[in-house]
Amino acid sequence: MKERPILFTGAMVRALLDDRKVQNRRIINPQPQMVTDGAILPWEGKPVALMQLLQQTKRPCPFGQPGDRHWVRETWAAFDADWRHPGKPHDLRDGPWPNIAYQADGTLPSGATGLWRPSIHMPRWASRIQLEVTAVRVEQLRCIKESDAQAEGVTIEDRHMNGYCAGECYPPAIRAYRELWGSLYGGGSWDANPWVWVVEFRRVLQ
């Protein structure tokens, strides 16, 4: 079993804690290719064949295999016992500090004066969420199903509640996930329809 850190936004952390997020999609880098009539083209074969090719070329999923675990990094803050003196970076390497606050839970405790620390700087001892990988597969991004979009932990806002709407070909959860994807990867990233790793997991209760 291998253990890896993984970063999530505050909204996705809340979805993890609610057990609404049990899938995670990440772009395969570099994108797979195939040779057709001597030309190197984007991969157009079946997902099963691509998975076999990646295994043969020793390109396993960098986000783990079944049985591996992730510990989640999120925006956080550390304080001493009276919540008034935030930990300095050089003090936080070994930890643990007596009090930890997580931005996904809301504001800092009353009287606390420290600043939030970026998720990338969270040490292992401060993480509160562990995930165990249960399955890994590959697919093109826009092949996502409505049930899979829901498993990504998206929140269907009011404008999505009526299902399909004028000019839309996707049901509500996929539309919400499309918006999330665009916020993470930029304009045009959904239309690019890249091949992605699909990692399924369960939250490990500590």
Side-chain angles (χ1 to χ4, degrees):
M1 181 190 76
K2 294 183 179 180
E3 189 177 69
R4 300 171 174 83
I6 190 168
L7 278 67
F8 282 111
T9 64
M12 292 298 97
V13 167
R14 289 188 287 274
L16 288 170
L17 292 172
D18 291 342
D19 293 322
R20 291 185 290 108
K21 184 171 179 62
V22 293
Q23 289 186 12
N24 186 36
R25 282 163 173 75
R26 299 291 174 100
I27 296 175
I28 297 176
N29 189 24
Q31 284 287 281
Q33 298 174 324
M34 61 191 307
V35 178
T36 303
D37 296 331
I40 300 177
L41 303 172
W43 181 267
E44 295 181 353
K46 295 182 178 180
V48 173
L50 175 56
M51 196 70 171
Q52 292 173 344
L53 175 64
L54 292 171
Q55 293 172 345
Q56 292 169 359
T57 55
K58 298 182 179 180
R59 290 179 58 189
C61 176
F63 305 103
Q65 299 296 321
D68 290 347
R69 291 191 177 187
H70 296 295
W71 56 273
V72 174
R73 281 176 160 165
E74 57 182 298
T75 304
W76 65 297
F79 297 84
D80 63 11
D82 64 6
W83 283 107
R84 296 181 182 276
H85 300 93
K88 304 299 182 183
H90 63 274
D91 297 328
L92 299 174
R93 295 171 187 161
D94 299 323
W97 270 54
N99 293 311
I100 303 292
Y102 301 97
Q103 192 176 60
D105 294 342
T107 59
L108 291 171
S110 176
T113 57
L115 299 177
W116 291 116
R117 301 188 182 283
S119 55
I120 190 65
H121 294 151
M122 172 177 274
R124 175 68 182 87
W125 60 262
S127 177
R128 59 174 171 168
I129 303 174
Q130 286 190 52
L131 308 172
E132 181 179 329
V133 177
T134 58
V136 176
R137 67 179 189 274
V138 296
E139 67 182 23
Q140 282 189 282
L141 176 64
R142 297 205 311 257
C143 289
I144 189 172
K145 299 176 181 177
E146 179 74 352
S147 59
D148 289 330
Q150 294 170 354
E152 281 277 0
V154 295
T155 299
I156 303 175
E157 299 176 353
D158 292 342
R159 64 182 179 278
H160 296 299
M161 291 305 292
N162 293 326
Y164 296 90
C165 61
E168 274 291 354
C169 60
Y170 295 116
I174 293 181
R175 296 207 305 274
Y177 184 68
R178 179 184 60 189
E179 292 180 9
L180 172 63
W181 185 270
S183 72
L184 295 173
Y185 294 99
S189 58
W190 177 265
D191 292 336
N193 197 24
W195 285 92
V196 296
W197 294 108
V198 182
V199 181
E200 300 183 19
F201 50 78
R202 66 177 185 87
R203 185 163 61 98
V204 178
L205 300 179
Q206 303 182 53

